[in-house]
mmCIF file of all heavy atoms in Angstrom:
data_model
loop_
_atom_site.group_PDB
_atom_site.id
_atom_site.type_symbol
_atom_site.label_atom_id
_atom_site.label_comp_id
_atom_site.label_asym_id
_atom_site.label_seq_id
_atom_site.Cartn_x
_atom_site.Cartn_y
_atom_site.Cartn_z
ATOM 1 N N MET A 1 -10.620 -0.713 1.082
ATOM 2 C CA MET A 1 -12.037 -0.577 1.353
ATOM 3 C C MET A 1 -12.570 -1.947 1.771
ATOM 4 O O MET A 1 -12.489 -2.907 1.019
ATOM 5 C CB MET A 1 -12.727 -0.044 0.098
ATOM 6 C CG MET A 1 -14.217 0.112 0.264
ATOM 7 S SD MET A 1 -14.995 0.757 -1.217
ATOM 8 C CE MET A 1 -14.871 2.492 -0.884
ATOM 9 N N ASN A 2 -13.135 -2.032 2.954
ATOM 10 C CA ASN A 2 -13.614 -3.302 3.496
ATOM 11 C C ASN A 2 -14.729 -3.924 2.677
ATOM 12 O O ASN A 2 -14.840 -5.137 2.596
ATOM 13 C CB ASN A 2 -14.077 -3.118 4.938
ATOM 14 C CG ASN A 2 -12.914 -2.929 5.868
ATOM 15 O OD1 ASN A 2 -11.798 -3.325 5.555
ATOM 16 N ND2 ASN A 2 -13.151 -2.320 7.011
ATOM 17 N N SER A 3 -15.566 -3.121 2.073
ATOM 18 C CA SER A 3 -16.686 -3.657 1.297
ATOM 19 C C SER A 3 -16.208 -4.466 0.103
ATOM 20 O O SER A 3 -16.831 -5.457 -0.268
ATOM 21 C CB SER A 3 -17.578 -2.520 0.801
ATOM 22 O OG SER A 3 -18.095 -1.815 1.886
ATOM 23 N N LEU A 4 -15.116 -4.059 -0.500
ATOM 24 C CA LEU A 4 -14.586 -4.798 -1.650
ATOM 25 C C LEU A 4 -14.079 -6.174 -1.241
ATOM 26 O O LEU A 4 -14.159 -7.122 -2.020
ATOM 27 C CB LEU A 4 -13.464 -4.017 -2.332
ATOM 28 C CG LEU A 4 -13.869 -2.726 -3.035
ATOM 29 C CD1 LEU A 4 -12.652 -2.044 -3.631
ATOM 30 C CD2 LEU A 4 -14.924 -2.979 -4.087
ATOM 31 N N ASN A 5 -13.593 -6.284 -0.022
ATOM 32 C CA ASN A 5 -13.099 -7.575 0.456
ATOM 33 C C ASN A 5 -14.213 -8.603 0.586
ATOM 34 O O ASN A 5 -13.969 -9.803 0.520
ATOM 35 C CB ASN A 5 -12.395 -7.421 1.805
ATOM 36 C CG ASN A 5 -11.100 -6.663 1.683
ATOM 37 O OD1 ASN A 5 -10.477 -6.661 0.631
ATOM 38 N ND2 ASN A 5 -10.696 -6.022 2.748
ATOM 39 N N LYS A 6 -15.437 -8.133 0.747
ATOM 40 C CA LYS A 6 -16.571 -9.041 0.909
ATOM 41 C C LYS A 6 -17.051 -9.627 -0.418
ATOM 42 O O LYS A 6 -17.767 -10.619 -0.429
ATOM 43 C CB LYS A 6 -17.722 -8.314 1.599
ATOM 44 C CG LYS A 6 -17.389 -7.897 3.019
ATOM 45 C CD LYS A 6 -18.525 -7.131 3.646
ATOM 46 C CE LYS A 6 -18.128 -6.672 5.049
ATOM 47 N NZ LYS A 6 -19.168 -5.876 5.675
ATOM 48 N N LEU A 7 -16.669 -8.996 -1.531
ATOM 49 C CA LEU A 7 -17.086 -9.486 -2.842
ATOM 50 C C LEU A 7 -16.222 -10.665 -3.275
ATOM 51 O O LEU A 7 -15.005 -10.650 -3.082
ATOM 52 C CB LEU A 7 -16.946 -8.380 -3.895
ATOM 53 C CG LEU A 7 -17.884 -7.194 -3.789
ATOM 54 C CD1 LEU A 7 -17.509 -6.144 -4.826
ATOM 55 C CD2 LEU A 7 -19.325 -7.627 -3.978
ATOM 56 N N ASN A 8 -16.853 -11.665 -3.881
ATOM 57 C CA ASN A 8 -16.040 -12.728 -4.463
ATOM 58 C C ASN A 8 -15.495 -12.212 -5.796
ATOM 59 O O ASN A 8 -15.880 -11.149 -6.279
ATOM 60 C CB ASN A 8 -16.840 -14.035 -4.608
ATOM 61 C CG ASN A 8 -18.009 -13.923 -5.557
ATOM 62 O OD1 ASN A 8 -17.965 -13.200 -6.538
ATOM 63 N ND2 ASN A 8 -19.068 -14.646 -5.262
ATOM 64 N N ASN A 9 -14.588 -12.955 -6.404
ATOM 65 C CA ASN A 9 -13.915 -12.493 -7.612
ATOM 66 C C ASN A 9 -14.896 -12.204 -8.745
ATOM 67 O O ASN A 9 -14.773 -11.192 -9.436
ATOM 68 C CB ASN A 9 -12.876 -13.512 -8.075
ATOM 69 C CG ASN A 9 -11.696 -13.587 -7.143
ATOM 70 O OD1 ASN A 9 -11.566 -12.788 -6.214
ATOM 71 N ND2 ASN A 9 -10.831 -14.547 -7.368
ATOM 72 N N GLU A 10 -15.863 -13.076 -8.934
ATOM 73 C CA GLU A 10 -16.821 -12.907 -10.026
ATOM 74 C C GLU A 10 -17.641 -11.632 -9.849
ATOM 75 O O GLU A 10 -17.831 -10.860 -10.800
ATOM 76 C CB GLU A 10 -17.749 -14.120 -10.099
ATOM 77 C CG GLU A 10 -18.718 -14.070 -11.258
ATOM 78 C CD GLU A 10 -19.595 -15.306 -11.332
ATOM 79 O OE1 GLU A 10 -19.257 -16.345 -10.729
ATOM 80 O OE2 GLU A 10 -20.634 -15.223 -12.004
ATOM 81 N N ASP A 11 -18.108 -11.383 -8.639
ATOM 82 C CA ASP A 11 -18.892 -10.179 -8.370
ATOM 83 C C ASP A 11 -18.043 -8.918 -8.502
ATOM 84 O O ASP A 11 -18.520 -7.887 -8.981
ATOM 85 C CB ASP A 11 -19.536 -10.236 -6.990
ATOM 86 C CG ASP A 11 -20.673 -11.246 -6.918
ATOM 87 O OD1 ASP A 11 -21.206 -11.617 -7.986
ATOM 88 O OD2 ASP A 11 -21.013 -11.673 -5.804
ATOM 89 N N LEU A 12 -16.790 -9.002 -8.098
ATOM 90 C CA LEU A 12 -15.885 -7.866 -8.228
ATOM 91 C C LEU A 12 -15.713 -7.488 -9.692
ATOM 92 O O LEU A 12 -15.765 -6.314 -10.054
ATOM 93 C CB LEU A 12 -14.527 -8.192 -7.591
ATOM 94 C CG LEU A 12 -13.470 -7.096 -7.645
ATOM 95 C CD1 LEU A 12 -13.926 -5.857 -6.890
ATOM 96 C CD2 LEU A 12 -12.161 -7.615 -7.085
ATOM 97 N N VAL A 13 -15.558 -8.470 -10.544
ATOM 98 C CA VAL A 13 -15.408 -8.213 -11.980
ATOM 99 C C VAL A 13 -16.701 -7.626 -12.547
ATOM 100 O O VAL A 13 -16.667 -6.690 -13.348
ATOM 101 C CB VAL A 13 -14.991 -9.497 -12.730
ATOM 102 C CG1 VAL A 13 -15.053 -9.310 -14.231
ATOM 103 C CG2 VAL A 13 -13.594 -9.925 -12.307
ATOM 104 N N LYS A 14 -17.850 -8.136 -12.118
ATOM 105 C CA LYS A 14 -19.133 -7.606 -12.588
ATOM 106 C C LYS A 14 -19.280 -6.139 -12.197
ATOM 107 O O LYS A 14 -19.738 -5.319 -13.000
ATOM 108 C CB LYS A 14 -20.296 -8.411 -12.013
ATOM 109 C CG LYS A 14 -20.452 -9.775 -12.631
ATOM 110 C CD LYS A 14 -21.609 -10.518 -11.968
ATOM 111 C CE LYS A 14 -21.737 -11.930 -12.475
ATOM 112 N NZ LYS A 14 -22.808 -12.669 -11.774
ATOM 113 N N VAL A 15 -18.904 -5.800 -10.973
ATOM 114 C CA VAL A 15 -18.987 -4.412 -10.513
ATOM 115 C C VAL A 15 -18.050 -3.535 -11.338
ATOM 116 O O VAL A 15 -18.411 -2.433 -11.755
ATOM 117 C CB VAL A 15 -18.655 -4.301 -9.004
ATOM 118 C CG1 VAL A 15 -18.489 -2.850 -8.576
ATOM 119 C CG2 VAL A 15 -19.729 -4.987 -8.187
ATOM 120 N N TYR A 16 -16.844 -4.044 -11.605
ATOM 121 C CA TYR A 16 -15.866 -3.287 -12.395
ATOM 122 C C TYR A 16 -16.397 -3.007 -13.801
ATOM 123 O O TYR A 16 -16.322 -1.872 -14.287
ATOM 124 C CB TYR A 16 -14.542 -4.047 -12.449
ATOM 125 C CG TYR A 16 -13.519 -3.405 -13.336
ATOM 126 C CD1 TYR A 16 -12.859 -2.250 -12.941
ATOM 127 C CD2 TYR A 16 -13.204 -3.938 -14.587
ATOM 128 C CE1 TYR A 16 -11.918 -1.642 -13.754
ATOM 129 C CE2 TYR A 16 -12.273 -3.347 -15.402
ATOM 130 C CZ TYR A 16 -11.632 -2.195 -14.985
ATOM 131 O OH TYR A 16 -10.711 -1.590 -15.798
ATOM 132 N N ILE A 17 -16.946 -4.016 -14.447
ATOM 133 C CA ILE A 17 -17.476 -3.849 -15.802
ATOM 134 C C ILE A 17 -18.640 -2.865 -15.795
ATOM 135 O O ILE A 17 -18.726 -1.976 -16.655
ATOM 136 C CB ILE A 17 -17.878 -5.213 -16.399
ATOM 137 C CG1 ILE A 17 -16.607 -6.045 -16.657
ATOM 138 C CG2 ILE A 17 -18.675 -5.038 -17.684
ATOM 139 C CD1 ILE A 17 -16.877 -7.490 -17.021
ATOM 140 N N SER A 18 -19.534 -2.979 -14.823
ATOM 141 C CA SER A 18 -20.667 -2.057 -14.726
ATOM 142 C C SER A 18 -20.209 -0.630 -14.444
ATOM 143 O O SER A 18 -20.757 0.322 -15.006
ATOM 144 C CB SER A 18 -21.632 -2.512 -13.628
ATOM 145 O OG SER A 18 -22.220 -3.731 -13.989
ATOM 146 N N ALA A 19 -19.220 -0.476 -13.593
ATOM 147 C CA ALA A 19 -18.709 0.855 -13.259
ATOM 148 C C ALA A 19 -18.155 1.541 -14.510
ATOM 149 O O ALA A 19 -18.369 2.742 -14.710
ATOM 150 C CB ALA A 19 -17.629 0.755 -12.186
ATOM 151 N N ASN A 20 -17.472 0.776 -15.349
ATOM 152 C CA ASN A 20 -16.962 1.343 -16.598
ATOM 153 C C ASN A 20 -18.093 1.626 -17.571
ATOM 154 O O ASN A 20 -18.116 2.667 -18.229
ATOM 155 C CB ASN A 20 -15.938 0.401 -17.239
ATOM 156 C CG ASN A 20 -14.590 0.548 -16.603
ATOM 157 O OD1 ASN A 20 -13.956 1.569 -16.734
ATOM 158 N ND2 ASN A 20 -14.159 -0.477 -15.886
ATOM 159 N N LYS A 21 -19.042 0.715 -17.659
ATOM 160 C CA LYS A 21 -20.171 0.874 -18.581
ATOM 161 C C LYS A 21 -20.971 2.134 -18.265
ATOM 162 O O LYS A 21 -21.354 2.883 -19.163
ATOM 163 C CB LYS A 21 -21.073 -0.353 -18.499
ATOM 164 C CG LYS A 21 -22.290 -0.292 -19.395
ATOM 165 C CD LYS A 21 -23.126 -1.556 -19.270
ATOM 166 C CE LYS A 21 -24.379 -1.484 -20.117
ATOM 167 N NZ LYS A 21 -25.206 -2.681 -19.970
ATOM 168 N N TYR A 22 -21.231 2.367 -16.981
ATOM 169 C CA TYR A 22 -22.041 3.511 -16.574
ATOM 170 C C TYR A 22 -21.203 4.733 -16.206
ATOM 171 O O TYR A 22 -21.728 5.708 -15.675
ATOM 172 C CB TYR A 22 -22.965 3.113 -15.422
ATOM 173 C CG TYR A 22 -23.977 2.079 -15.866
ATOM 174 C CD1 TYR A 22 -23.891 0.760 -15.435
ATOM 175 C CD2 TYR A 22 -25.007 2.419 -16.745
ATOM 176 C CE1 TYR A 22 -24.803 -0.195 -15.861
ATOM 177 C CE2 TYR A 22 -25.919 1.475 -17.171
ATOM 178 C CZ TYR A 22 -25.815 0.179 -16.727
ATOM 179 O OH TYR A 22 -26.714 -0.756 -17.160
ATOM 180 N N LYS A 23 -19.903 4.658 -16.501
ATOM 181 C CA LYS A 23 -18.976 5.778 -16.313
ATOM 182 C C LYS A 23 -19.044 6.376 -14.906
ATOM 183 O O LYS A 23 -19.241 7.584 -14.728
ATOM 184 C CB LYS A 23 -19.227 6.842 -17.372
ATOM 185 C CG LYS A 23 -19.111 6.291 -18.792
ATOM 186 C CD LYS A 23 -19.014 7.367 -19.807
ATOM 187 C CE LYS A 23 -19.009 6.881 -21.237
ATOM 188 N NZ LYS A 23 -18.391 5.651 -21.555
ATOM 189 N N LEU A 24 -18.898 5.501 -13.916
ATOM 190 C CA LEU A 24 -18.858 5.964 -12.524
ATOM 191 C C LEU A 24 -17.541 6.681 -12.271
ATOM 192 O O LEU A 24 -16.679 6.747 -13.144
ATOM 193 C CB LEU A 24 -19.056 4.782 -11.579
ATOM 194 C CG LEU A 24 -20.387 4.040 -11.718
ATOM 195 C CD1 LEU A 24 -20.494 2.947 -10.672
ATOM 196 C CD2 LEU A 24 -21.576 4.979 -11.628
ATOM 197 N N SER A 25 -17.354 7.182 -11.087
ATOM 198 C CA SER A 25 -16.189 8.022 -10.794
ATOM 199 C C SER A 25 -14.875 7.282 -11.022
ATOM 200 O O SER A 25 -14.763 6.078 -10.793
ATOM 201 C CB SER A 25 -16.243 8.538 -9.355
ATOM 202 O OG SER A 25 -15.932 7.502 -8.459
ATOM 203 N N VAL A 26 -13.895 8.045 -11.458
ATOM 204 C CA VAL A 26 -12.568 7.501 -11.731
ATOM 205 C C VAL A 26 -11.967 6.929 -10.448
ATOM 206 O O VAL A 26 -11.306 5.888 -10.476
ATOM 207 C CB VAL A 26 -11.656 8.596 -12.331
ATOM 208 C CG1 VAL A 26 -10.224 8.106 -12.472
ATOM 209 C CG2 VAL A 26 -12.197 9.060 -13.669
ATOM 210 N N GLU A 27 -12.224 7.583 -9.318
ATOM 211 C CA GLU A 27 -11.684 7.116 -8.046
ATOM 212 C C GLU A 27 -12.236 5.733 -7.690
ATOM 213 O O GLU A 27 -11.498 4.870 -7.217
ATOM 214 C CB GLU A 27 -12.003 8.101 -6.919
ATOM 215 C CG GLU A 27 -11.310 9.439 -7.048
ATOM 216 C CD GLU A 27 -12.047 10.423 -7.958
ATOM 217 O OE1 GLU A 27 -13.177 10.112 -8.393
ATOM 218 O OE2 GLU A 27 -11.478 11.488 -8.247
ATOM 219 N N PHE A 28 -13.534 5.526 -7.922
ATOM 220 C CA PHE A 28 -14.145 4.229 -7.632
ATOM 221 C C PHE A 28 -13.583 3.145 -8.550
ATOM 222 O O PHE A 28 -13.247 2.054 -8.099
ATOM 223 C CB PHE A 28 -15.663 4.324 -7.778
ATOM 224 C CG PHE A 28 -16.384 3.038 -7.465
ATOM 225 C CD1 PHE A 28 -16.322 2.480 -6.199
ATOM 226 C CD2 PHE A 28 -17.107 2.379 -8.436
ATOM 227 C CE1 PHE A 28 -16.982 1.293 -5.899
ATOM 228 C CE2 PHE A 28 -17.772 1.197 -8.162
ATOM 229 C CZ PHE A 28 -17.704 0.653 -6.886
ATOM 230 N N ILE A 29 -13.452 3.460 -9.825
ATOM 231 C CA ILE A 29 -12.895 2.497 -10.779
ATOM 232 C C ILE A 29 -11.447 2.182 -10.408
ATOM 233 O O ILE A 29 -11.018 1.026 -10.493
ATOM 234 C CB ILE A 29 -13.029 3.022 -12.221
ATOM 235 C CG1 ILE A 29 -14.516 3.053 -12.602
ATOM 236 C CG2 ILE A 29 -12.235 2.167 -13.199
ATOM 237 C CD1 ILE A 29 -14.824 3.719 -13.927
ATOM 238 N N ASP A 30 -10.696 3.182 -9.980
ATOM 239 C CA ASP A 30 -9.311 2.944 -9.539
ATOM 240 C C ASP A 30 -9.265 2.001 -8.335
ATOM 241 O O ASP A 30 -8.395 1.130 -8.260
ATOM 242 C CB ASP A 30 -8.614 4.257 -9.187
ATOM 243 C CG ASP A 30 -8.196 5.050 -10.413
ATOM 244 O OD1 ASP A 30 -8.188 4.470 -11.525
ATOM 245 O OD2 ASP A 30 -7.882 6.245 -10.256
ATOM 246 N N LEU A 31 -10.194 2.172 -7.381
ATOM 247 C CA LEU A 31 -10.257 1.269 -6.230
ATOM 248 C C LEU A 31 -10.529 -0.166 -6.686
ATOM 249 O O LEU A 31 -9.904 -1.117 -6.199
ATOM 250 C CB LEU A 31 -11.353 1.700 -5.264
ATOM 251 C CG LEU A 31 -11.054 2.855 -4.339
ATOM 252 C CD1 LEU A 31 -12.311 3.244 -3.573
ATOM 253 C CD2 LEU A 31 -9.947 2.482 -3.378
ATOM 254 N N LEU A 32 -11.462 -0.306 -7.625
ATOM 255 C CA LEU A 32 -11.777 -1.637 -8.149
ATOM 256 C C LEU A 32 -10.574 -2.239 -8.859
ATOM 257 O O LEU A 32 -10.250 -3.416 -8.662
ATOM 258 C CB LEU A 32 -12.972 -1.561 -9.105
ATOM 259 C CG LEU A 32 -14.308 -1.177 -8.480
ATOM 260 C CD1 LEU A 32 -15.344 -0.922 -9.573
ATOM 261 C CD2 LEU A 32 -14.796 -2.241 -7.521
ATOM 262 N N GLU A 33 -9.902 -1.447 -9.683
ATOM 263 C CA GLU A 33 -8.720 -1.937 -10.399
ATOM 264 C C GLU A 33 -7.625 -2.366 -9.435
ATOM 265 O O GLU A 33 -6.964 -3.381 -9.650
ATOM 266 C CB GLU A 33 -8.191 -0.867 -11.356
ATOM 267 C CG GLU A 33 -9.070 -0.668 -12.561
ATOM 268 C CD GLU A 33 -8.608 0.461 -13.456
ATOM 269 O OE1 GLU A 33 -7.731 1.259 -13.051
ATOM 270 O OE2 GLU A 33 -9.142 0.561 -14.573
ATOM 271 N N THR A 34 -7.441 -1.599 -8.381
ATOM 272 C CA THR A 34 -6.431 -1.941 -7.378
ATOM 273 C C THR A 34 -6.748 -3.282 -6.724
ATOM 274 O O THR A 34 -5.867 -4.126 -6.544
ATOM 275 C CB THR A 34 -6.334 -0.832 -6.313
ATOM 276 O OG1 THR A 34 -5.991 0.387 -6.969
ATOM 277 C CG2 THR A 34 -5.309 -1.165 -5.255
ATOM 278 N N GLU A 35 -8.016 -3.485 -6.382
ATOM 279 C CA GLU A 35 -8.426 -4.738 -5.750
ATOM 280 C C GLU A 35 -8.294 -5.908 -6.719
ATOM 281 O O GLU A 35 -7.843 -6.993 -6.346
ATOM 282 C CB GLU A 35 -9.859 -4.626 -5.232
ATOM 283 C CG GLU A 35 -10.355 -5.848 -4.499
ATOM 284 C CD GLU A 35 -9.608 -6.149 -3.210
ATOM 285 O OE1 GLU A 35 -8.913 -5.267 -2.669
ATOM 286 O OE2 GLU A 35 -9.729 -7.297 -2.729
ATOM 287 N N ILE A 36 -8.658 -5.690 -7.971
ATOM 288 C CA ILE A 36 -8.524 -6.744 -8.987
ATOM 289 C C ILE A 36 -7.059 -7.106 -9.163
ATOM 290 O O ILE A 36 -6.693 -8.284 -9.231
ATOM 291 C CB ILE A 36 -9.171 -6.291 -10.312
ATOM 292 C CG1 ILE A 36 -10.698 -6.306 -10.153
ATOM 293 C CG2 ILE A 36 -8.736 -7.162 -11.480
ATOM 294 C CD1 ILE A 36 -11.457 -5.623 -11.267
ATOM 295 N N TYR A 37 -6.190 -6.109 -9.215
ATOM 296 C CA TYR A 37 -4.752 -6.351 -9.344
ATOM 297 C C TYR A 37 -4.219 -7.089 -8.118
ATOM 298 O O TYR A 37 -3.441 -8.034 -8.233
ATOM 299 C CB TYR A 37 -4.013 -5.025 -9.544
ATOM 300 C CG TYR A 37 -2.531 -5.183 -9.685
ATOM 301 C CD1 TYR A 37 -1.968 -5.613 -10.875
ATOM 302 C CD2 TYR A 37 -1.684 -4.909 -8.614
ATOM 303 C CE1 TYR A 37 -0.597 -5.771 -11.002
ATOM 304 C CE2 TYR A 37 -0.323 -5.061 -8.727
ATOM 305 C CZ TYR A 37 0.218 -5.487 -9.929
ATOM 306 O OH TYR A 37 1.580 -5.651 -10.045
ATOM 307 N N ARG A 38 -4.668 -6.673 -6.941
ATOM 308 C CA ARG A 38 -4.216 -7.298 -5.697
ATOM 309 C C ARG A 38 -4.572 -8.782 -5.669
ATOM 310 O O ARG A 38 -3.791 -9.614 -5.197
ATOM 311 C CB ARG A 38 -4.843 -6.583 -4.494
ATOM 312 C CG ARG A 38 -4.333 -7.065 -3.148
ATOM 313 C CD ARG A 38 -5.042 -6.391 -2.003
ATOM 314 N NE ARG A 38 -6.404 -6.844 -1.825
ATOM 315 C CZ ARG A 38 -6.744 -8.017 -1.267
ATOM 316 N NH1 ARG A 38 -5.816 -8.841 -0.854
ATOM 317 N NH2 ARG A 38 -8.015 -8.358 -1.129
ATOM 318 N N ARG A 39 -5.752 -9.103 -6.185
ATOM 319 C CA ARG A 39 -6.194 -10.505 -6.218
ATOM 320 C C ARG A 39 -5.643 -11.274 -7.421
ATOM 321 O O ARG A 39 -5.899 -12.467 -7.560
ATOM 322 C CB ARG A 39 -7.719 -10.579 -6.262
ATOM 323 C CG ARG A 39 -8.384 -10.039 -5.019
ATOM 324 C CD ARG A 39 -9.854 -10.303 -5.088
ATOM 325 N NE ARG A 39 -10.599 -9.588 -4.067
ATOM 326 C CZ ARG A 39 -11.891 -9.754 -3.846
ATOM 327 N NH1 ARG A 39 -12.582 -10.611 -4.571
ATOM 328 N NH2 ARG A 39 -12.501 -9.072 -2.909
ATOM 329 N N ASN A 40 -4.935 -10.575 -8.290
ATOM 330 C CA ASN A 40 -4.331 -11.200 -9.473
ATOM 331 C C ASN A 40 -5.391 -11.811 -10.395
ATOM 332 O O ASN A 40 -5.277 -12.938 -10.844
ATOM 333 C CB ASN A 40 -3.298 -12.249 -9.058
ATOM 334 C CG ASN A 40 -2.364 -12.580 -10.189
ATOM 335 O OD1 ASN A 40 -2.162 -11.774 -11.085
ATOM 336 N ND2 ASN A 40 -1.822 -13.779 -10.165
ATOM 337 N N ILE A 41 -6.450 -11.028 -10.663
ATOM 338 C CA ILE A 41 -7.541 -11.456 -11.537
ATOM 339 C C ILE A 41 -7.300 -10.853 -12.915
ATOM 340 O O ILE A 41 -7.007 -9.671 -13.036
ATOM 341 C CB ILE A 41 -8.901 -10.959 -11.009
ATOM 342 C CG1 ILE A 41 -9.151 -11.472 -9.599
ATOM 343 C CG2 ILE A 41 -10.028 -11.362 -11.950
ATOM 344 C CD1 ILE A 41 -10.360 -10.833 -8.931
ATOM 345 N N SER A 42 -7.436 -11.674 -13.955
ATOM 346 C CA SER A 42 -7.346 -11.129 -15.306
ATOM 347 C C SER A 42 -8.751 -10.995 -15.869
ATOM 348 O O SER A 42 -9.626 -11.819 -15.627
ATOM 349 C CB SER A 42 -6.484 -12.017 -16.195
ATOM 350 O OG SER A 42 -7.125 -13.247 -16.412
ATOM 351 N N ILE A 43 -8.948 -9.931 -16.631
ATOM 352 C CA ILE A 43 -10.261 -9.637 -17.204
ATOM 353 C C ILE A 43 -10.102 -9.475 -18.708
ATOM 354 O O ILE A 43 -9.253 -8.729 -19.172
ATOM 355 C CB ILE A 43 -10.847 -8.331 -16.643
ATOM 356 C CG1 ILE A 43 -10.973 -8.417 -15.140
ATOM 357 C CG2 ILE A 43 -12.186 -8.012 -17.282
ATOM 358 C CD1 ILE A 43 -11.387 -7.118 -14.506
ATOM 359 N N ASN A 44 -10.933 -10.182 -19.440
ATOM 360 C CA ASN A 44 -10.980 -10.008 -20.882
ATOM 361 C C ASN A 44 -12.284 -9.297 -21.197
ATOM 362 O O ASN A 44 -13.338 -9.923 -21.279
ATOM 363 C CB ASN A 44 -10.893 -11.367 -21.592
ATOM 364 C CG ASN A 44 -10.859 -11.211 -23.083
ATOM 365 O OD1 ASN A 44 -11.000 -10.108 -23.617
ATOM 366 N ND2 ASN A 44 -10.677 -12.310 -23.781
ATOM 367 N N LEU A 45 -12.218 -7.986 -21.373
ATOM 368 C CA LEU A 45 -13.431 -7.200 -21.594
ATOM 369 C C LEU A 45 -14.031 -7.444 -22.971
ATOM 370 O O LEU A 45 -15.167 -7.089 -23.228
ATOM 371 C CB LEU A 45 -13.135 -5.706 -21.414
ATOM 372 C CG LEU A 45 -12.752 -5.281 -20.007
ATOM 373 C CD1 LEU A 45 -12.415 -3.795 -19.987
ATOM 374 C CD2 LEU A 45 -13.874 -5.566 -19.029
ATOM 375 N N LEU A 46 -13.283 -8.050 -23.877
ATOM 376 C CA LEU A 46 -13.800 -8.324 -25.211
ATOM 377 C C LEU A 46 -14.559 -9.638 -25.279
ATOM 378 O O LEU A 46 -15.223 -9.926 -26.263
ATOM 379 C CB LEU A 46 -12.643 -8.345 -26.217
ATOM 380 C CG LEU A 46 -11.852 -7.049 -26.303
ATOM 381 C CD1 LEU A 46 -10.680 -7.216 -27.284
ATOM 382 C CD2 LEU A 46 -12.729 -5.886 -26.744
ATOM 383 N N GLN A 47 -14.471 -10.431 -24.236
ATOM 384 C CA GLN A 47 -15.124 -11.725 -24.221
ATOM 385 C C GLN A 47 -16.635 -11.539 -24.106
ATOM 386 O O GLN A 47 -17.118 -10.796 -23.269
ATOM 387 C CB GLN A 47 -14.600 -12.540 -23.043
ATOM 388 C CG GLN A 47 -15.117 -13.949 -23.010
ATOM 389 C CD GLN A 47 -14.527 -14.712 -21.845
ATOM 390 O OE1 GLN A 47 -14.396 -14.161 -20.755
ATOM 391 N NE2 GLN A 47 -14.172 -15.937 -22.063
ATOM 392 N N LYS A 48 -17.378 -12.222 -24.962
ATOM 393 C CA LYS A 48 -18.842 -12.148 -24.925
ATOM 394 C C LYS A 48 -19.371 -13.256 -24.031
ATOM 395 O O LYS A 48 -18.848 -14.362 -24.046
ATOM 396 C CB LYS A 48 -19.409 -12.305 -26.328
ATOM 397 C CG LYS A 48 -18.893 -11.236 -27.259
ATOM 398 C CD LYS A 48 -19.905 -10.890 -28.275
ATOM 399 C CE LYS A 48 -19.321 -9.821 -29.146
ATOM 400 N NZ LYS A 48 -20.131 -8.761 -29.412
ATOM 401 N N PRO A 49 -20.411 -12.963 -23.258
ATOM 402 C CA PRO A 49 -20.975 -14.003 -22.394
ATOM 403 C C PRO A 49 -21.620 -15.108 -23.234
ATOM 404 O O PRO A 49 -22.192 -14.847 -24.287
ATOM 405 C CB PRO A 49 -22.008 -13.265 -21.564
ATOM 406 C CG PRO A 49 -22.270 -11.986 -22.273
ATOM 407 C CD PRO A 49 -21.080 -11.691 -23.126
ATOM 408 N N LEU A 50 -21.526 -16.316 -22.741
ATOM 409 C CA LEU A 50 -22.159 -17.440 -23.422
ATOM 410 C C LEU A 50 -23.635 -17.448 -23.087
ATOM 411 O O LEU A 50 -24.030 -17.345 -21.935
ATOM 412 C CB LEU A 50 -21.517 -18.756 -22.971
ATOM 413 C CG LEU A 50 -20.036 -18.903 -23.290
ATOM 414 C CD1 LEU A 50 -19.505 -20.181 -22.658
ATOM 415 C CD2 LEU A 50 -19.808 -18.927 -24.790
ATOM 416 N N LEU A 51 -24.468 -17.548 -24.095
ATOM 417 C CA LEU A 51 -25.919 -17.547 -23.874
ATOM 418 C C LEU A 51 -26.485 -18.921 -24.145
ATOM 419 O O LEU A 51 -26.089 -19.652 -24.949
ATOM 420 C CB LEU A 51 -26.612 -16.523 -24.768
ATOM 421 C CG LEU A 51 -26.195 -15.086 -24.507
ATOM 422 C CD1 LEU A 51 -26.879 -14.162 -25.519
ATOM 423 C CD2 LEU A 51 -26.576 -14.642 -23.107
#
């Protein structure tokens, strides 16, 4: 998907986390996971943001 290529790594991870949070379609989440894997990005979903 060309639109995913336009996202930087940080934005891609934010979209992935939001997609899971709001339970978007499995197909969309799979596309995001594929792109994250392709870019070799690791995600720690248990990590809390620093405030």
Side-chain angles (χ1 to χ4, degrees):
M1 179 179 271
N2 287 338
S3 299
L4 292 179
N5 291 334
K6 295 178 183 177
L7 292 174
N8 63 33
N9 290 353
E10 184 178 342
D11 289 340
L12 180 62
V13 171
K14 287 178 185 177
V15 170
Y16 175 74
I17 291 170
S18 294
N20 279 293
K21 179 179 178 182
Y22 295 109
K23 303 194 185 326
L24 299 183
S25 74
V26 173
E27 293 84 7
F28 181 62
I29 292 172
D30 284 345
L31 281 173
L32 294 171
E33 288 176 348
T34 301
E35 183 65 18
I36 288 168
Y37 180 78
R38 186 184 72 76
R39 295 187 191 186
N40 198 25
I41 302 170
S42 68
I43 301 173
N44 183 355
L45 294 177
L46 300 177
Q47 185 178 40
K48 301 212 180 226
L50 298 174
L51 297 176

